[in-house]
Amino acid sequence: MSTRDSWRNSGGSGYGGSRYGGGSGSVAFGGTSAWGAGGGNTIFRVLSRTTEYQSHRRSVIRSGFSDNGIDEEDNFSLYSEDDVNLPPISKAEDWALMPDVKNYAERGEKDHFKSKKLGVTWENLNIKGVGSDAAFNENVLSQFNVPQNIKEARQGLPLNTIIENSHGCVKPGEMLLVLGRPGSGCTSLLKMLANRRNGYAEVKGDIHFGSMTAKEAEKYRGQIVMNTEEELFFPTLTVGQTMDFATRMNVPYHKFSDQHSDKDFQQEYRDFLLKSMGITHTFDTKVGNEFVRGVSGGERKRVSIIETLAARGSVFCWDNSTRGLDANTALQYTKAVRAMTDVVGLTSIVSLYQAGNGIYDLFDKVLVLDQGKEIYYGPRKEARPFMEELGFVCGDGANVADFLTGVTVPTERQIRDGYEATFPRTADEIRTHYERTDTKAAMQKEYAYPQSEEAKAHTKEFKESVAYDKDKTLPKNSPLTVSFAKQVKACVSRQYKIIWGDKPTFIIKQLATLLQALVVGSLFYNSSKDSSGLFSKSGAMFFSLLYQALMALSEVTDSFAGRPVLAKHKAFAFFHPAAFCIAQIAADIPVLLFQVTQFSLVLYFMVALKVSASAFFTYWSTLFATAMCITAVMRAIGAVFSTFDGATKLSGFWFSALVVYSGYFIPKTQMHPWFVWIYWIDPLSYGFEILLSNEFHGQTIQCQNNNLIPNGPGYINSPFKSCAGVPGAPQGATSVSGDQYLQSFSYRHSHLWRNYGIIWAWWAFFVFVTIVATSNWKEMAGKSGFLLIPRENAKKNVQHLTRDEESQVKEKPASRGTMTLYDSSSSSMDGKTIDNQLISNTSVFTWKDLTYTVKTPSGDRVLLDKVQGWVKPGMLGALMGSSGAGKTTLLDVLAQRKTEGTITGSILVDGRPLSVSFQRSAGYCEQLDIHEPTATVREALEFSALLRQCRNTPKEEKLKYVDTIINLLEMQDIEHTLVGRTGAGLSVEQRKRLTIGVELVAKPSILIFLDEPTSGLDGQAAFNTLRFLRKLAAVGQAVLVTIHQPSAMLFKEFDTLLLLARGGKTVYFGDIGEEASTLKDYFARNGAPCPQGVNPAEHMIDVVSGAASQDRDWNQVWLESPEHKSVSQEVDRIIKEAASKPPGTSDDGYEFAMPLWQQTKLVTHRMNVALYRNTDYVNNKFALHIGSALFNGFSFWKIGNGVSDLQLKLFTIFNFIFVAPGVIAQLQPLFIDRRDIYEFREKKSKMYSWVAFVTGLIVSEFPYLCICAVLYFAPWYYTVGFPTDSNKSGAVFFVMLFYEFIYTGIGQFVAAYAPNAVFASLVNPAIITILVSFCGVLVPYSQIQEFWRYWIYYLNPFNYLVSSILTFTVFDVKVVCKPHEFALFDTPNKQTCREYLAPYMEGLGSRTNLTNPDATSGCKVCQYRLGSDYLSTLNISDYYFGWRDAAIVVIFAISSYVMVYALMKLRTKATKTAQ
């Protein structure tokens, strides 16, 4: 037997197989191992291998086996047979933490823990998803095209094949690399191998985990885990808190013998994970997101990696986990996975874009996908030879992974001479060749692994090991690890940390509560104990409940904010959803106790409610119970719905229903039978009955003022009078008992504790609903990405994406020769035409001694430290450094994009200070591809061209240049498709091209900055992008690019390099040289030579921040070098020379390229189109209006003309106000999204003014607001029985129309200044409740405290809205009292009623109606004769008040929009310039 064969038999195939002698491996990380292991004892001999072998092997690894044509296994021939029989050394032997992993393994072996090895095998795997390559995006009108909708519905949803006939086997201890371009199905394959099948229309084929089927493996979901591309975290938690939680959820029941508590294990494991990814220093830093400042993007990705490792699984799937990491960190991550896979026997499946050869060589097997087809699967070492045998050429120094994915791309592949006619052109042809190879036959033998004795033994051990890990209190089939009590405890602790991490929101909520209590307490201040206080006390108690409900509305938004994180943790089997729900409740209790207590203490005593301890605590406990219950209601709505739009629709309707049917607006006795059921399921109605009965039971209420007829001089001591308009008062009585008053509403004091119990019963029900709904939450569905075509552009996209690539695109010859960008015969212009149209640049851009300092809580922090350099026309400069070195910061400072901090040094163009037009004359492609999602690609490009090219350029020429750029970027096939959002719209690479295009069409005359243009792209897309930039430089543009992980091929494209170390310190600036010779020479002279075959870009990063840094201060090395001296001299020379010549570019002196009127027209048109295509938003708006109007109309159906009916008319008008909160909640996120696009990109490039932005947003809403006014008016106005005269109904419609403008303006001005949508949603209740409170409805004008009455009442738009509509509908209505509404009393001395009441009717009772003036007993007096008599009590004394108030409503509409401009101006900060 050969040396190699004997080694293979001892450890499996390659570096895979059962790496440590079948089942004998070892363990790590506690429990039955943290990951499990076996009982073998040979692994630790590895540590005593000869140093000769180890040093030779490391040198082989570093020089890259495949690059030298040497395979690692071939090196075993150098050693004796005995040596080779030892287990192989891991390919990650030189990883810094390998000794720690082995130490854990040794402890596991000592304690005889069993292994958790599984492996994954799959055959004939086919996956189909719903959707096609493209779908239509309906607009506001086309969605109502019924024939078209019926026709498309009949055709059914098309199914799209995502994976076609895939197969493979990854055994314990093996690593598989899955390669493919974006959209080729890598993520879907990984999801299947992680046993995540949700969202796919059809999955066929066999997948085995060990010897278990996919169905059996479901109960082990915490052992088969996947790390997705998205980084989903609670942003206000620190890295330490995030990892504390993850590790607490996976503490095994049986720990190492030297660990005495759960905390010992958890902390040791947490610290190991943090150390493994080098982020220990971030322990106390918030994780953050795009809105919350936290760790850097690369650090956040590393937190995501270690959180996945915290699951202590057996099978790990990693989906593009190196995105955003620099080359050194990406290599360290792969080594970590390699080390743990080797020592512990994990099964690791990894998909990567732009995998360097150092990373590629760490894998055992490779699987290559192309459009869902598996074109190669087998050992890594055989993948490149297989493709080369087919005629493809892998260039020297090229990334093998990029070569493998590029073989089906005509513009990428290089063909060997003589193979031009025979090479396979499509994925199907390559697959046909693969199926005939020995590799395929060898791999097929492995597919029997699930039936093997080895797999069965491993699976048996795995099950025993998982059961041994699991807490004994958990059910047998539970996938979780720790007990339910510990889950709840950890979730509660985390919930408090989330709240405390977002202290500003918590503090704002509590201060807003205190403020509201003070304001409302003063509104109802010292309510009288007689009949005039009944209405105000009821109002105060209703408001107490209403405020708790308003505060709970934000739960719907919160539910969606945290959902992706919870879905991820559920997939990791961290906790049961019930534990999270219980934790939320536990966190609610102290917060709501504090909120309700401060609210109650202020409001209760200011209003002068019943002063007794029992009454106060009944009030307090009822508010608490109601707050808990309504919070549970809103949380349940959030949990039940899968989309935020659906949840906000129902929560808006449900909130209206709860308020209207609480018993305050419509008394129980006057509710219509078709809606009375809402009363019985409304927690507020039970709370309202408790509060009223608590306050009025056992009281005697004297009738006073308007409620006593007659009263005033001459009637003070007369027994001949009666109560009027006081519910429950017996006719002829002058007082009413509290219980009589309650009885008139069907309330009883005996119901008090029954109702209290019912509130808690509803709470329990809604908590149960939340738990059930949360348990069924799914992760994001598995829809494949598809393009969106606007329905109105359908005809322009007939042949969409059906072009035959092979017939249109020429192959690249084997020799690379001259660079041609996107060679495509489909382009309408040849290369020379494009060259002629591209703008060249003659200006030199320099920066010298540039320092940027920001203020932090711990003092000033320097982010850039005396950086200098230049970019000349025709030069492509690279800006590199490790994560956090200040690359993006430098670009932002150079491009004048910073609004905070202090900048010192000089930034000059042609030796002169930057002009006012610099920001629009320089192109800046941000790292985040932020675009208006509802615009098409062509519209986005035309918008940029029309606004940023010089105002003297004719429009036709600007649009012609857009055609040039579309051809140049090869975007002809997608120019009429929507930008969209992730999953539905452009792919990552297409978005990146659009970002570059948007800057190019502006014809930047100075230079182009690009921040990470290749991040998130696969190797081919990254290379295309760089080739394109090279092309720009070739025609005379100056280009400066920050870049992560460039391959050797990419790095060759650059002319100069500026290399930064942490803290923004320069390590190198200058030419790179041919094959990086100048750069290599500099580092070699300073003691850090670049090894043969190693990518110089990766080597540099390693020198600056990685293992090769030798702990030297490379910034100091640079400062002392002759190169630094010559750079300083050259900068001075360039500045002096440029300043002595005329400037290369002329400044037109304008801040914006186009005049304000043109900006406004273009921006408004774009906003109009955006809303027209945003059917979700418009439909929600319409549905809310129609639904609210019908609900309001049928709740107040055909109101009569009695005294109590007048109040119902007031309340139905008042109810119209409440259409606003729902629409505002939906409007603000949209406004803030648009504002973010403007502030992040368009404002900074001086595309257009903030005035044009605000005008566009305001004007685009107008058509829909007019329709909304009609949609509310028509179903409501006539349903409630208001006058049908056109002069009345027309006037009401006019006022309603302007109310639409008022509340939209209010919503927009809050959003204009709010930092984010959550903050805006907290401010809304405060504004709405104050306006509602002081509009004269809850408290009549005469009873409003004088402090408020003379200013806030008159500054309140809702006051004029209600007054004007009430005037038009009620003023001349004849009031007809119902029998029980009359004041009934006898007269003294047989006087007639007219005689007895004469003084009264001429004074205080001048507006009352005596219906039997000649009677001598049983006088019947109605409180009012006409509606105008009732209106006089509301401070409306004449009909002209209606039109006066309508005019004031118009003024408020205008002023609310003025506020949008004012607050947007306040928010707009000037950018910083160098001092």
Side-chain angles (χ1 to χ4, degrees):
M1 186 192 296
S2 72
T3 314
R4 183 189 290 186
D5 288 341
S6 69
W7 171 73
R8 268 202 176 126
N9 290 342
S10 75
S13 158
Y15 267 88
S18 240
R19 185 167 304 274
Y20 292 105
S24 68
S26 172
V27 247
F29 312 119
T32 46
S33 78
W35 277 307
N41 56 13
T42 57
I43 178 172
F44 302 103
R45 294 184 216 154
V46 170
L47 298 170
S48 59
R49 296 291 286 273
T50 64
T51 53
E52 177 194 0
Y53 171 72
Q54 289 189 30
S55 62
H56 171 81
R57 192 177 172 289
R58 286 197 183 114
S59 71
V60 173
I61 289 174
R62 285 199 178 123
S63 59
F65 310 109
S66 49
D67 286 351
N68 297 318
I70 302 169
D71 190 84
E72 192 174 354
E73 293 178 22
D74 294 331
N75 290 292
F76 282 94
S77 59
L78 301 169
Y79 302 98
S80 70
E81 185 82 26
D82 291 341
D83 186 44
V84 172
N85 280 334
L86 286 168
I89 288 181
S90 167
K91 292 185 188 180
E93 194 65 39
D94 57 346
W95 182 50
L97 293 188
M98 189 58 145
D100 293 44
V101 179
K102 290 179 175 174
N103 172 40
Y104 281 113
E106 188 174 17
R107 288 156 72 190
E109 180 173 280
K110 194 176 97 182
D111 292 339
H112 305 293
F113 289 141
K114 293 187 177 178
S115 75
K116 286 204 282 190
K117 297 178 180 178
L118 264 188
V120 185
T121 311
W122 66 102
E123 280 187 276
N124 308 319
L125 181 61
N126 291 279
I127 307 171
K128 291 187 178 179
V130 175
S132 56
D133 288 336
F136 285 113
N137 181 78
E138 302 297 348
N139 57 50
V140 171
L141 294 179
S142 72
Q143 64 179 332
F144 298 115
N145 186 340
V146 178
Q148 180 180 278
N149 294 343
I150 292 170
K151 181 183 165 192
E152 289 179 1
R154 277 183 178 167
Q155 289 169 354
L157 289 169
L159 289 186
N160 188 26
T161 300
I162 301 170
I163 295 288
E164 184 183 310
N165 196 24
S166 175
H167 46 81
C169 173
V170 191
K171 295 178 184 174
E174 285 187 344
M175 281 177 72
L176 169 70
L177 176 60
V178 179
L179 295 172
R181 304 195 73 192
S184 60
C186 297
T187 299
S188 293
L189 177 61
L190 261 64
K191 280 188 173 181
M192 287 302 117
L193 302 186
N195 215 16
R196 297 184 181 190
R197 298 183 169 218
N198 292 329
Y200 293 100
E202 186 178 293
V203 179
K204 290 182 177 174
D206 298 320
I207 304 179
H208 284 87
F209 298 90
S211 61
M212 293 184 288
T213 63
K215 188 77 183 160
E216 288 175 84
E218 281 175 7
K219 60 184 175 191
Y220 297 103
R221 68 167 185 263
Q223 298 298 317
I224 303 163
V225 292
M226 177 171 175
N227 176 252
T228 59
E229 257 189 292
E230 299 88 24
E231 287 116 43
L232 306 169
F233 296 104
F234 288 110
T236 57
L237 292 180
T238 65
V239 171
Q241 289 166 345
T242 302
M243 289 313 301
D244 261 338
F245 179 78
T247 46
R248 278 177 78 176
M249 293 290 96
N250 273 287
V251 176
Y253 188 70
H254 294 97
K255 290 165 282 296
F256 291 139
S257 54
D258 59 357
Q259 287 173 333
H260 304 295
S261 68
D262 288 357
K263 200 165 186 181
D264 287 351
F265 173 87
Q266 180 256 322
Q267 289 182 349
E268 186 180 338
Y269 187 30
R270 177 199 68 200
D271 295 345
F272 166 78
L273 289 174
L274 289 166
K275 215 190 302 177
S276 72
M277 285 293 125
I279 50 171
T280 313
H281 63 283
T282 66
F283 191 86
D284 293 319
T285 310
K286 284 183 182 176
V287 176
N289 61 10
E290 58 269 38
F291 302 119
V292 178
R293 194 170 172 184
V295 296
S296 72
E299 287 165 341
R300 196 174 303 125
K301 173 55 80 177
R302 284 182 264 173
V303 178
S304 169
I305 289 166
I306 60 174
E307 187 188 43
T308 307
L309 288 172
R312 294 172 47 249
S314 177
V315 176
F316 283 90
C317 294
W318 304 92
D319 188 18
N320 197 16
S321 297
T322 59
R323 187 178 75 176
L325 301 183
D326 62 68
N328 179 59
T329 310
L331 182 62
Q332 293 307 313
Y333 149 73
T334 318
K335 282 184 177 178
V337 175
R338 176 82 264 177
M340 294 169 193
T341 303
D342 287 348
V343 177
V344 184
L346 304 182
T347 303
S348 299
I349 302 157
V350 185
S351 79
L352 294 177
Y353 294 152
Q354 300 185 53
N357 288 335
I359 292 172
Y360 177 79
D361 291 333
L362 290 169
F363 288 86
D364 305 306
K365 292 177 179 173
V366 174
L367 188 153
V368 185
L369 284 174
D370 189 275
Q371 294 176 329
K373 299 178 175 73
E374 193 172 296
I375 59 174
Y376 176 81
Y377 162 70
R380 167 188 52 79
K381 64 188 176 62
E382 293 173 21
R384 177 175 168 175
F386 165 70
M387 294 299 182
E388 288 179 328
E389 282 167 19
L390 297 178
F392 301 110
V393 175
C394 183
D396 292 337
N399 283 350
V400 180
D402 292 346
F403 160 68
L404 295 176
T405 54
V407 293
T408 59
V409 186
T411 51
E412 302 309 321
R413 59 191 176 204
Q414 297 174 29
I415 311 305
R416 192 182 304 156
D417 293 340
Y419 281 81
E420 290 86 348
T422 58
F423 78 92
R425 283 165 168 72
T426 64
D428 285 319
E429 288 178 29
I430 298 174
R431 183 159 67 173
T432 304
H433 280 278
Y434 166 72
E435 284 172 352
R436 294 201 289 263
T437 61
D438 294 340
T439 305
K440 168 78 191 288
M443 291 297 102
Q444 247 175 330
K445 290 175 185 171
E446 293 190 345
Y447 303 157
Y449 176 73
Q451 287 77 48
S452 69
E453 289 307 314
E454 182 189 357
K456 288 174 183 172
H458 279 330
T459 308
K460 182 170 178 285
E461 274 198 3
F462 166 82
K463 290 179 178 177
E464 290 170 359
S465 172
V466 171
Y468 193 65
D469 260 5
K470 201 187 319 187
D471 193 280
K472 300 306 171 203
T473 59
L474 291 170
K476 192 178 176 184
N477 289 334
S478 170
L480 309 175
T481 305
V482 300
S483 67
F484 187 72
K486 286 177 182 172
Q487 293 169 37
V488 172
K489 191 177 169 188
C491 286
V492 170
S493 165
R494 180 180 68 170
Q495 207 61 28
Y496 283 127
K497 286 169 185 167
I498 291 170
I499 293 168
W500 193 239
D502 190 13
K503 287 192 280 290
T505 304
F506 175 74
I507 292 165
I508 286 166
K509 257 186 173 177
Q510 300 314 318
L511 287 177
T513 301
L514 182 61
L515 181 69
Q516 284 290 338
L518 287 165
V519 168
V520 177
S522 64
L523 174 69
F524 297 103
Y525 184 69
N526 214 7
S527 292
S528 73
K529 293 188 168 20
D530 56 38
S531 63
S532 59
L534 286 174
F535 187 65
S536 58
K537 280 186 176 177
S538 300
M541 287 182 276
F542 167 72
F543 188 87
S544 304
L545 297 170
L546 176 69
Y547 184 74
Q548 311 310 322
L550 273 170
M551 291 303 276
L553 265 177
S554 63
E555 285 301 326
V556 178
T557 314
D558 288 352
S559 169
F560 283 87
R563 180 175 297 196
V565 186
L566 301 175
K568 176 179 78 169
H569 286 169
K570 184 187 169 193
F572 287 169
F574 278 1
F575 54 79
H576 192 281
F580 172 72
C581 296
I582 291 167
Q584 276 190 312
I585 293 161
D588 284 344
I589 291 170
V591 172
L592 289 178
L593 276 174
F594 181 74
Q595 181 178 303
V596 166
T597 302
Q598 62 163 341
F599 186 87
S600 303
L601 284 170
V602 172
L603 189 91
Y604 192 87
F605 297 106
M606 282 183 79
V607 177
L609 298 177
K610 189 190 283 185
V611 184
S612 79
S614 63
F616 171 75
F617 283 108
T618 303
Y619 170 86
W620 173 84
S621 61
T622 304
L623 287 200
F624 176 70
T626 309
M628 288 289 286
C629 188
I630 301 297
T631 300
V633 171
M634 294 305 164
R635 211 169 264 161
I637 291 171
V640 166
F641 279 84
S642 59
T643 65
F644 180 65
D645 276 345
T648 47
K649 247 186 266 183
L650 182 68
S651 63
F653 281 135
W654 191 233
F655 182 77
S656 298
L658 294 183
V659 170
V660 172
Y661 282 85
S662 61
Y664 176 71
F665 284 123
I666 311 174
K668 161 77 172 57
T669 49
Q670 290 177 270
M671 291 177 186
H672 294 291
W674 51 78
F675 277 154
V676 74
W677 56 272
I678 299 174
Y679 174 84
W680 296 112
I681 62 168
D682 182 354
L684 291 184
S685 69
Y686 296 99
F688 192 56
E689 182 176 354
I690 293 174
L691 295 186
L692 283 189
S693 57
N694 179 53
E695 176 62 26
F696 295 122
H697 171 64
Q699 302 234 32
T700 300
I701 299 141
Q702 298 295 329
C703 295
Q704 292 293 340
N705 303 332
N706 282 357
N707 298 126
L708 187 62
I709 297 176
N711 67 33
Y715 299 98
I716 291 171
N717 296 315
S718 170
F720 300 98
K721 45 189 171 182
S722 172
C723 291
V726 178
Q731 289 190 318
T734 56
S735 65
V736 59
S737 73
D739 291 297
Q740 286 172 326
Y741 177 69
L742 293 171
Q743 182 62 46
S744 70
F745 301 117
S746 299
Y747 292 165
R748 286 188 176 79
H749 182 256
S750 58
H751 291 169
L752 194 151
W753 294 110
R754 178 205 73 175
N755 290 351
Y756 190 72
I758 291 171
I759 293 172
W760 283 110
W762 277 121
W763 170 82
F765 170 75
F766 287 114
V767 166
F768 174 74
V769 169
T770 309
I771 290 172
V772 170
T774 309
S775 300
N776 291 318
W777 275 355
K778 303 284 191 286
E779 284 203 284
M780 293 299 287
K783 263 192 186 175
S784 56
F786 55 91
L787 292 169
L788 282 173
I789 302 164
R791 178 64 76 177
E792 63 270 28
N793 285 3
K795 290 186 178 144
K796 296 178 186 173
N797 285 281
V798 174
Q799 76 291 339
H800 183 74
L801 293 179
T802 55
R803 61 190 185 131
D804 176 4
E805 279 190 332
E806 300 306 324
S807 65
Q808 294 190 33
V809 189
K810 294 175 183 174
E811 300 302 336
K812 281 165 57 177
S815 61
R816 191 151 156 245
T818 55
M819 177 73 62
T820 55
L821 171 77
Y822 292 78
D823 291 325
S824 173
S825 57
S826 64
S827 294
S828 59
M829 303 176 205
D830 61 26
K832 283 186 180 174
T833 313
I834 291 177
D835 284 0
N836 293 338
Q837 289 214 11
L838 283 174
I839 191 164
S840 63
N841 166 34
T842 55
S843 293
V844 182
F845 184 73
T846 59
W847 59 97
K848 187 173 183 194
D849 294 335
L850 204 57
T851 302
Y852 177 58
T853 313
V854 292
K855 295 197 180 300
T856 67
S858 54
D860 286 357
R861 185 176 169 197
V862 177
L863 298 181
L864 296 174
D865 190 2
K866 295 193 180 306
V867 182
Q868 57 187 3
W870 64 80
V871 188
K872 296 177 182 176
M875 178 176 132
L876 180 57
L879 176 52
M880 294 180 64
S882 60
S883 295
K887 302 182 294 295
T888 301
T889 305
L890 176 58
L891 273 201
D892 284 344
V893 169
L894 293 178
Q896 305 286 288
R897 299 293 175 100
K898 289 292 184 193
T899 55
E900 290 167 356
T902 307
I903 303 167
T904 57
S906 69
I907 304 173
L908 306 172
V909 173
D910 291 329
R912 297 165 177 81
L914 304 183
S915 65
V916 69
S917 63
F918 171 76
Q919 280 173 267
R920 65 178 169 84
S921 305
Y924 188 166
C925 301
E926 302 250 8
Q927 186 174 348
L928 299 170
D929 302 309
I930 298 169
H931 298 283
E932 168 55 57
T934 55
T936 65
V937 169
R938 176 171 279 280
E939 286 164 358
L941 294 171
E942 289 182 351
F943 184 72
S944 180
L946 292 171
L947 281 170
R948 285 180 63 187
Q949 286 189 32
C950 179
R951 61 180 67 189
N952 302 324
T953 310
K955 183 178 178 182
E956 294 70 28
E957 195 178 311
K958 291 181 181 180
L959 297 181
K960 191 178 175 191
Y961 191 66
V962 170
D963 293 331
T964 304
I965 299 301
I966 285 175
N967 283 314
L968 188 68
L969 289 166
E970 276 203 333
M971 299 178 92
Q972 304 94 323
D973 56 338
I974 56 168
E975 64 177 305
H976 297 299
T977 64
L978 295 184
V979 175
R981 299 184 188 279
T982 314
L986 302 185
S987 68
V988 174
E989 190 243 356
Q990 288 165 336
R991 267 167 213 278
K992 191 61 72 181
R993 275 196 274 162
L994 177 60
T995 302
I996 296 169
V998 162
E999 295 303 317
L1000 283 184
V1001 292
K1003 285 195 175 177
S1005 57
I1006 297 174
L1007 81 160
I1008 300 173
F1009 300 104
L1010 297 102
D1011 189 15
E1012 301 287 0
T1014 61
S1015 191
L1017 304 184
D1018 67 309
Q1020 273 71 40
F1023 187 60
N1024 280 349
T1025 305
L1026 254 290
R1027 279 198 309 168
F1028 173 51
L1029 298 177
R1030 181 77 263 168
K1031 175 81 169 177
L1032 291 176
V1035 296
Q1037 270 289 4
V1039 186
L1040 184 61
V1041 182
T1042 67
I1043 192 159
H1044 261 327
Q1045 299 185 42
S1047 66
M1049 296 284 284
L1050 291 186
F1051 194 57
K1052 268 194 236 177
E1053 300 295 332
F1054 292 100
D1055 300 314
T1056 60
L1057 169 71
L1058 173 53
L1059 182 60
L1060 296 178
R1062 189 171 282 279
K1065 296 176 189 295
T1066 307
V1067 172
Y1068 179 82
F1069 176 75
D1071 289 342
I1072 293 173
E1074 188 70 31
E1075 300 292 332
S1077 55
T1078 312
L1079 181 67
K1080 287 179 183 174
D1081 183 50
Y1082 170 77
F1083 280 105
R1085 272 190 291 110
N1086 289 292
C1090 180
Q1092 184 68 30
V1094 170
N1095 178 355
E1098 293 184 8
H1099 172 68
M1100 278 170 356
I1101 301 292
D1102 204 21
V1103 167
V1104 176
S1105 61
S1109 67
Q1110 305 163 14
D1111 293 326
R1112 291 175 68 185
D1113 182 350
W1114 284 93
N1115 172 242
Q1116 197 58 40
V1117 172
W1118 165 250
L1119 294 175
E1120 293 165 2
S1121 70
E1123 283 86 353
H1124 171 251
K1125 189 177 178 184
S1126 68
V1127 164
S1128 300
Q1129 290 169 350
E1130 180 67 5
V1131 170
D1132 292 336
R1133 188 193 68 74
I1134 291 170
I1135 292 171
K1136 191 175 177 184
E1137 187 180 303
S1140 65
K1141 296 178 185 174
T1145 48
S1146 58
D1147 176 28
D1148 58 12
Y1150 296 114
E1151 184 180 7
F1152 301 102
M1154 298 299 285
L1156 184 61
W1157 171 241
Q1158 291 293 332
Q1159 294 172 37
T1160 306
K1161 277 203 308 188
L1162 285 163
V1163 174
T1164 304
H1165 175 70
R1166 181 174 75 159
M1167 300 294 188
N1168 281 330
V1169 171
L1171 277 191
Y1172 182 61
R1173 289 178 181 156
N1174 193 344
T1175 49
D1176 277 353
Y1177 174 75
V1178 174
N1179 290 351
N1180 261 2
K1181 219 180 182 78
F1182 290 171
L1184 205 57
H1185 278 80
I1186 295 168
S1188 300
L1190 289 171
F1191 183 71
N1192 192 356
F1194 281 97
S1195 294
F1196 293 92
W1197 171 262
K1198 298 293 180 194
I1199 305 171
N1201 291 323
V1203 172
S1204 58
D1205 292 330
L1206 293 171
Q1207 197 164 353
L1208 290 181
K1209 287 181 180 182
L1210 171 67
F1211 278 143
T1212 188
I1213 294 165
F1214 181 61
N1215 206 29
F1216 168 54
I1217 288 175
F1218 290 97
V1219 75
V1223 182
I1224 288 174
Q1226 186 205 2
L1227 169 152
Q1228 286 174 333
L1230 187 76
F1231 187 102
I1232 289 169
D1233 276 353
R1234 294 268 156 73
R1235 189 193 70 194
D1236 288 345
I1237 294 170
Y1238 171 67
E1239 289 187 337
F1240 282 128
R1241 187 167 61 80
E1242 294 167 341
K1243 183 184 95 173
K1244 290 174 179 176
S1245 57
K1246 298 290 181 188
M1247 198 181 269
Y1248 53 89
S1249 160
W1250 63 270
V1251 176
F1253 169 73
V1254 174
T1255 307
L1257 269 173
I1258 288 172
V1259 172
S1260 62
E1261 290 275 0
F1262 285 177
Y1264 304 101
L1265 296 178
C1266 294
I1267 295 169
C1268 284
V1270 173
L1271 292 178
Y1272 200 105
F1273 175 81
W1276 167 69
Y1277 186 85
Y1278 300 102
T1279 316
V1280 294
F1282 280 153
T1284 53
D1285 311 0
S1286 57
N1287 65 329
K1288 303 274 173 55
S1289 56
V1292 170
F1293 176 73
F1294 175 80
V1295 177
M1296 289 175 70
L1297 174 62
F1298 277 90
Y1299 174 61
E1300 296 286 337
F1301 297 143
I1302 287 176
Y1303 77 70
T1304 303
I1306 291 171
Q1308 288 182 331
F1309 81 62
V1310 170
Y1313 201 72
N1316 55 51
V1318 175
F1319 182 90
S1321 71
L1322 291 172
V1323 173
N1324 296 337
I1327 292 175
I1328 298 287
T1329 47
I1330 285 175
L1331 294 179
V1332 161
S1333 304
F1334 292 96
C1335 70
V1337 174
L1338 296 180
V1339 180
Y1341 173 76
S1342 58
Q1343 291 180 28
I1344 297 175
Q1345 295 300 314
E1346 287 169 1
F1347 173 76
W1348 300 113
R1349 191 189 308 164
Y1350 297 117
W1351 66 282
I1352 201 166
Y1353 173 81
Y1354 289 105
L1355 290 175
N1356 190 340
F1358 292 4
N1359 158 31
Y1360 301 101
L1361 169 78
V1362 173
S1363 296
S1364 55
I1365 298 179
L1366 206 52
T1367 304
F1368 296 135
T1369 53
V1370 173
F1371 194 85
D1372 48 11
V1373 169
K1374 190 176 180 184
V1375 178
V1376 181
C1377 262
K1378 294 168 186 169
H1380 66 274
E1381 292 174 341
F1382 283 106
L1384 196 64
F1385 50 87
D1386 293 330
T1387 60
N1389 307 321
K1390 298 295 180 184
Q1391 286 179 291
T1392 63
C1393 296
R1394 182 187 289 118
E1395 292 167 348
Y1396 174 61
L1397 291 174
Y1400 172 71
M1401 301 284 280
E1402 288 166 8
L1404 290 174
S1406 60
R1407 292 182 178 274
T1408 55
N1409 183 15
L1410 175 61
T1411 57
N1412 55 347
D1414 299 323
T1416 55
S1417 64
C1419 298
K1420 292 171 75 175
V1421 181
C1422 186
Q1423 265 183 296
Y1424 311 114
R1425 289 169 299 162
L1426 297 168
S1428 55
D1429 300 327
Y1430 168 66
L1431 295 182
S1432 67
T1433 65
L1434 300 175
N1435 198 34
I1436 302 169
S1437 53
D1438 208 336
Y1439 189 77
Y1440 82 84
F1441 275 45
W1443 283 110
R1444 181 203 71 175
D1445 292 349
I1448 295 172
V1449 167
V1450 174
I1451 293 166
F1452 270 109
I1454 295 165
S1455 61
S1456 69
Y1457 285 129
V1458 170
M1459 285 291 287
V1460 186
Y1461 285 99
L1463 286 164
M1464 194 69 200
K1465 172 63 179 165
L1466 264 178
R1467 187 183 165 81
T1468 307
K1469 294 179 184 174
T1471 52
K1472 296 281 180 181
T1473 53
Q1475 296 168 4

